């Protein structure tokens, strides 16, 4: 359809490596051909020239012949899983107009000059590594910006394929948005901190970081909060004016009232807890046959204890304290709880409960209840009538409050304050409560401003503190270990430096050093439930365990300083790098690692770069330096050495 409309060459964004390769295969099987015989000859000649460095025995493993057939038809895939040589060839042929359609992932939209007459989006959602997320306006513009070749096309065309659930208004919204938020991902790293301190000292480095774009964004986010703080201060001034009292300082009076309320609440909570504790202890002392007076609730009145133990279910669910089972004077068997005893309970008498007493037997309940009623005249006079339903009067609370000297002093201070007799006291108090509430909210906003101000510099201070503790910095001086760290530009730079410093890499043969260094350079692209990665033979497993212990120790140091920079070392490429450095062929390594050719080459080149850094940091003449250089020579061969670094 695009060819018929004159809209080729085109790029079709699929957002999936597998989907891009499958699209090319589908077009080949359908017999689609978009090139002339002359173009096919030119394509083949250019491919042979660019791929001359590839070994013949590797071509089948790389899928070379299927790839070449697609190119000769004017169709190709482009994604990070392709061999760099293949990607560069596709880019060259597309720019020359020989490849007419490229099925690509979004990596093609970044940093590669491959303009087309039209761009097709398969859908408006993509996998972001965690979930399927809708394209942002910025991503949409980045992708469709490939449409239209400068100096060739008058206009470019962007096509969004229709599918169930597609809302045309969503497409219009993406296409019409022209403002895109820019977020800084900058943060001081260990290597950066050492180099900054070495170049300009700690105070000047901190000052420089405070001028970074990341700090500018953090400060800009504070602007709205600061504006709200200023508005709150104006409102608070109005509240202060409204609560002004001619008899005295009402803010002082309001503070006394707050303190008094807080103390009363504290005394109430303490008294309730003490009463509950005392009541619980009294229930624990009850035994079978004890006669008690249930003071409150629907079960109030005389009762005899049948079972004083807490049932297992009550112990498992909630732990609500003792729950004695009793027989009441009206012949009812009930399970009581602490809620039925707001005050401590004491045994008023005792009845002998037959060992064979069956609470389900009406006759047994009637006989025992009759004995309980007969016992009533011999009990204290207060037992003659049951307490009223509801909560009993807590006579001890008032005495406890009066005995609390601090509480009494607080009440006296409130009563003797001049504002206490003000006729407008209640009105002033309402304004004071509003003032206190808004003051609390403003204080929280001020804390948020404090946390966001100088965030980059504070993070720099934490990183420097870690380096101080480990001996890489001494105030403004970079130590010998620090100069070694300054030469390492890895995500796990500090782990690599510690492994060098503590001798983890000492005496490792080249292939084994490559395996151990790979855990610092490699990161698995997608986590799944695959089996544990294969490991090289000794001494690699021992050294790899030492690397992991080094990482654990450093993460603990980071945690002490509020940092979390160092990801866990990844074992996913240890066996593959060891085998490749040992001279294994490409088919063996790819089948053993499950990596695509492109991922393998990219991972190996990253490892080569790290080994070069280790050699420089350790010293070219050191054993680690010599072993690293030898490992680089073993890794840089075949497809890894072919072509330029992509």
């Amino acid at each position: 359809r695009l060819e018929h409309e004159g809209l080729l060459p085109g790029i079709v964004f699929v957002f999936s490596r597998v989907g891009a390769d499958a699209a090319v295969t589908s077009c080949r099987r359908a017999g689609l051909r978009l090139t002339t015989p002359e173009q096919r000859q030119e394509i083949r000649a250019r491919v042979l020239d660019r791929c001359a460095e590839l070994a013949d025995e590797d071509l089948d493993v790389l899928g070379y012949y299927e790839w070449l057939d697609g190119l000769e038809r004017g169709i190709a895939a482009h994604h990070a899983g392709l061999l760099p040589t293949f990607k560069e060839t596709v880019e060259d042929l597309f720019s020359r107009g020989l490849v007419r359609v490229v099925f690509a992932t979004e990596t093609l939209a970044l940093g590669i000059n491959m303009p087309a007459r039209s761009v097709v989006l398969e859908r408006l959602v993509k996998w972001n590594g965690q979930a399927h997320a809708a394209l942002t306006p910025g991503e949409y513009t980045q992708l469709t910006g490939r449409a239209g070749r400068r100096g060739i096309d008058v206009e470019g065309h962007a096509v969004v394929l229709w599918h169930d659930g597609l809302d045309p208004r969503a497409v219009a919204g993406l296409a019409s948005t022209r403002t895109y938020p820019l977020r800084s991902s900058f943060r001081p790293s260990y290597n950066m901190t050492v180099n900054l301190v070495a170049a300009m000292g700690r105070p000047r480095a901190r000052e420089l970081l405070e001028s970074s774009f990341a700090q500018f964004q953090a400060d800009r986010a504070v602007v709205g909060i600061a504006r709200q703080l200023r508005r709150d201060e104006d409102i608070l001034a109005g509240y202060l004016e409204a609560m002004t009292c001619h008899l005295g300082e009402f803010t002082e009076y309001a503070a006394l009232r707050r303190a008094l309320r807080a103390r009363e609440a504290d005394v109430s909570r303490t008294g309730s807890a003490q009463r509950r504790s005392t009541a619980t202890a009294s229930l624990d002392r009850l035994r079978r046959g004890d006669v008690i007076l249930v003071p409150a609730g629907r079960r109030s009145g005389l009762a005899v204890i049948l079972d004083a133990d807490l049932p297992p279910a009550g112990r498992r669910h909630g732990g609500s304290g003792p729950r004695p089972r009793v027989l009441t004077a009206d012949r009812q068997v009930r399970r009581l709880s602490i809620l039925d005893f707001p005050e401590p309970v004491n045994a008023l008498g005792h009845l002998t409960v037959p060992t064979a007493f069956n609470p389900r037997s009406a006759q047994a309940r009637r006989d025992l209840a009759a004995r309980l009623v007969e016992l009533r005249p011999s009990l204290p006079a207060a037992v003659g009538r049951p307490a009223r339903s509801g909560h009993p009067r807590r006579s001890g609370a008032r005495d406890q409050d009066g005995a609390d000297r601090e509480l009494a002093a607080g009440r006296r201070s409130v009563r003797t304050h001049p504002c206490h007799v003000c006729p407008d006291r209640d009105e002033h108090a309402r304004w004071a409560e509003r003032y206190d509430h808004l003051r609390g909210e403003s204080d929280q906003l001020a804390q948020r401003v404090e946390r966001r101000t100088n965030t980059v510099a504070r993070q720099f201070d934490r990183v420097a503190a870690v380096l101080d503790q480990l001996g890489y910095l001494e105030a403004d001086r970079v130590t010998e270990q620090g100069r070694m760290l300054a030469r390492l530009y890895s995500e796990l730079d500090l782990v690599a430096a510690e492994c060098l410093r503590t001798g983890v890499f000492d005496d490792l043969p080249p292939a084994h050093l490559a395996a151990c260094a790979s855990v610092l350079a490699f990161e698995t692209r997608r986590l799944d439930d695959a089996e544990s990665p294969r490991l090289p033979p000794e001494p690699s497993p021992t050294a790899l365990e030492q690397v992991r212990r080094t990482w654990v120790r450093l993460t603990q140091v980071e945690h002490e300083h509020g940092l979390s920079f160092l990801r866990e070392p990844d074992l996913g490429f240890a066996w593959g790098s060891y085998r490749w450095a040992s001279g294994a062929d490409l088919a063996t390594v790819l089948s053993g690692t499950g990596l695509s050719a492109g991922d393998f080459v990219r991972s190996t080149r990253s490892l080569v770069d790290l080994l070069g850094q280790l050699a420089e940091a350790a010293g070219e003449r050191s054993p680690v330096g010599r072993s690293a250089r030898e490992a680089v020579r073993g890794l840089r061969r075949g497809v890894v050495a072919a072509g330029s670094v992509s």
Side-chain angles (χ1 to χ4, degrees):
R1 177 71 178 274
L2 293 173
E3 174 76 352
H4 178 74
E5 298 289 342
L7 296 179
L8 293 183
I11 301 173
V12 181
F13 286 104
V14 181
F15 303 129
S16 164
R17 295 183 182 185
V18 175
D21 291 335
V24 174
T25 300
S26 178
C27 291
R28 289 178 52 236
R29 290 176 177 174
L32 189 64
R33 192 179 296 277
L34 303 173
T35 55
T36 64
E38 294 77 14
Q39 290 174 326
R40 289 197 291 275
Q41 291 180 359
E42 184 177 357
I43 290 170
R44 178 173 284 270
R46 291 188 175 277
V47 170
L48 292 175
D49 179 62
R50 281 188 165 271
C51 299
E53 298 181 34
L54 298 179
D56 291 341
E57 60 270 20
D58 292 339
L59 296 182
D60 282 335
V61 179
L62 297 172
Y64 169 82
Y65 299 104
E66 295 81 1
W67 172 70
L68 176 59
D69 179 59
L71 292 178
E72 291 182 338
R73 295 173 180 271
I75 304 166
H78 188 288
H79 54 72
L82 282 179
L83 191 70
T85 300
F86 286 9
K87 282 202 301 181
E88 294 162 5
T89 303
V90 170
E91 293 163 13
D92 176 61
L93 295 177
F94 188 83
S95 63
R96 296 175 182 274
L98 298 174
V99 167
R100 307 285 289 165
V101 174
V102 170
F103 294 94
T105 59
E106 63 179 325
T107 55
L108 187 147
L110 303 173
I112 301 174
N113 184 25
M114 284 180 61
R117 179 166 292 176
S118 64
V119 166
V120 179
L121 302 183
E122 181 189 38
R123 56 184 61 248
L124 296 178
V125 296
K126 66 170 186 174
W127 177 256
N128 62 10
Q130 297 178 338
H132 286 94
L135 290 180
T136 66
E139 291 169 336
Y140 176 87
T141 300
Q142 181 70 38
L143 296 170
T144 58
R146 294 289 176 178
R149 297 166 295 177
R150 186 180 299 275
I152 301 176
D153 300 318
V154 177
E155 61 185 13
H157 298 264
V159 181
V160 178
L161 296 184
W162 182 90
H163 57 82
D164 288 336
L166 178 66
D167 183 0
R169 290 173 295 187
V171 182
L174 287 172
S176 61
T177 302
R178 285 295 176 266
T179 56
Y180 319 116
L182 185 62
R183 304 293 183 198
S184 173
S185 298
F186 172 78
R187 66 179 185 181
S189 66
Y190 297 109
N191 172 277
M192 177 195 299
T193 299
V194 168
N195 281 291
L196 281 175
V197 173
M200 60 186 68
R202 191 174 297 190
R204 179 73 182 94
R206 196 178 192 278
E207 181 181 341
L208 178 67
L209 293 174
E210 288 177 343
S211 303
S212 65
F213 177 64
Q215 187 57 57
F216 165 76
Q217 282 198 317
D219 291 342
R220 187 174 60 178
V222 170
V223 171
I225 303 177
R227 189 181 300 116
Q228 179 64 44
L229 273 175
R230 288 193 295 271
R231 287 197 297 265
D232 288 351
E233 291 299 331
D234 292 339
I235 297 173
L236 287 170
Y239 288 169
L240 278 174
E241 183 178 354
M243 60 191 274
T244 301
C245 180
H246 67 286
L247 296 178
E249 184 62 44
F250 202 87
T251 54
E252 179 184 277
Y253 177 68
L256 291 174
R257 286 172 52 128
R258 285 196 306 274
L260 178 60
R261 285 198 299 268
R263 182 56 185 164
E264 287 175 340
D266 184 55
V267 168
S268 177
R269 285 192 299 269
T270 302
S272 297
Q274 290 176 347
R275 286 190 296 273
R276 183 181 180 89
S277 176
T278 305
T280 300
S282 68
L283 287 177
D284 283 333
R285 291 193 294 268
L286 294 178
R287 295 295 178 262
R288 180 182 175 90
D290 285 345
V291 176
I292 63 172
L293 176 65
V294 181
R298 291 178 297 141
R299 305 177 181 89
S300 61
L302 281 177
V304 59
I305 301 294
L306 301 178
D307 179 4
D309 294 333
L310 179 67
R315 295 187 187 275
R316 286 196 304 268
H317 305 292
S320 56
R323 296 191 60 199
R325 187 169 55 170
V326 301
L327 174 70
T328 63
D330 58 357
R331 309 173 189 172
Q332 299 295 316
V333 175
R334 293 287 185 266
R335 181 73 71 175
L336 303 180
S337 72
I338 191 65
L339 297 178
D340 296 303
F341 299 94
E343 300 291 341
V345 61
N346 296 311
L348 305 175
H350 190 82
L351 286 177
T352 300
V353 179
T355 305
F357 177 80
N358 182 5
R360 296 185 179 182
S361 170
Q363 181 63 43
R365 294 198 306 271
R366 186 164 48 250
D367 292 344
L368 186 57
R371 293 172 57 200
L372 179 61
V373 173
E374 291 174 357
L375 185 64
R376 178 178 294 171
S378 64
L379 298 177
V383 183
R385 61 181 186 277
R388 291 174 296 173
S389 298
H391 295 289
R393 179 177 178 271
R394 299 179 180 177
S395 58
R398 184 178 302 275
D399 296 337
Q400 182 181 358
D401 292 351
D404 191 296
R405 296 181 180 179
E406 183 180 345
L407 187 59
R411 289 171 175 165
R412 188 164 50 250
S413 298
V414 169
R415 287 194 300 267
T416 58
H417 195 279
C419 293
H420 189 66
V421 296
C422 177
D424 298 324
R425 182 187 66 188
D426 292 340
E427 180 68 17
H428 293 162
R430 282 192 289 270
W431 287 110
E433 289 177 359
R434 295 177 185 177
Y435 178 89
D436 293 337
H437 180 72
L438 185 57
R439 180 82 274 169
E441 291 183 346
S442 297
D443 290 343
Q444 291 179 359
L445 289 177
Q447 292 175 4
R448 290 174 59 187
V449 171
E450 175 62 25
R451 285 195 298 268
R452 295 193 180 192
T453 303
N454 299 325
T455 52
V456 178
R458 285 203 301 270
Q459 192 174 54
F460 169 79
D461 291 339
R462 290 194 289 268
V463 171
V466 170
L467 297 175
D468 284 333
Q469 180 175 335
L470 296 173
Y472 291 92
L473 291 178
E474 291 180 356
D476 275 1
R477 188 178 73 85
V478 178
T479 64
E480 181 180 352
Q481 291 86 355
R483 289 191 290 273
M484 177 178 63
L485 173 60
R487 299 186 180 96
L488 298 171
Y489 298 89
S490 164
E491 185 181 6
L492 296 177
D493 48 8
L494 189 58
V495 179
E498 280 291 282
C499 288
L500 282 176
R501 186 175 69 87
T502 58
V504 173
F505 295 150
D506 291 355
D507 303 323
L508 284 178
H512 292 276
L513 178 59
C516 290
S518 74
V519 303
L520 307 178
F522 179 79
E523 188 170 8
T524 301
R525 176 171 169 263
R526 185 170 50 208
L527 297 176
D528 51 31
D529 297 328
E531 297 179 358
S532 300
R534 299 171 63 180
L535 296 180
E538 289 289 354
S540 284
T542 300
L544 289 171
E545 178 59 26
Q546 291 177 331
V547 172
R548 188 181 183 284
R549 289 178 181 175
T550 300
W551 168 76
V552 170
R553 175 170 56 84
L554 292 177
T555 55
Q556 292 172 346
V557 175
E558 279 192 326
H559 180 72
E560 294 171 2
H561 293 275
L563 295 174
S564 181
F565 284 179
L566 303 174
R567 65 166 175 82
E568 185 174 358
D570 194 323
L571 297 171
F573 194 48
W575 182 87
S577 57
Y578 165 78
R579 293 288 287 150
W580 184 251
S582 299
D585 58 58
L586 181 64
T588 299
V589 175
L590 292 184
S591 63
T593 60
L595 296 174
S596 68
D599 288 335
F600 166 73
V601 172
R602 185 172 58 258
S603 299
T604 304
R605 287 177 174 175
S606 296
L607 175 57
V608 165
D609 180 63
L610 177 58
L611 287 168
Q613 296 174 32
L614 291 174
E616 183 179 355
E620 298 288 344
R621 297 182 180 179
S622 68
V624 174
R626 290 194 298 269
S627 184
R629 289 299 180 194
E630 186 65 29
V632 167
R633 285 190 287 271
L635 293 169
R636 192 179 284 156
R637 62 184 179 87
V639 293
V640 177
S644 60
V645 177
S646 176

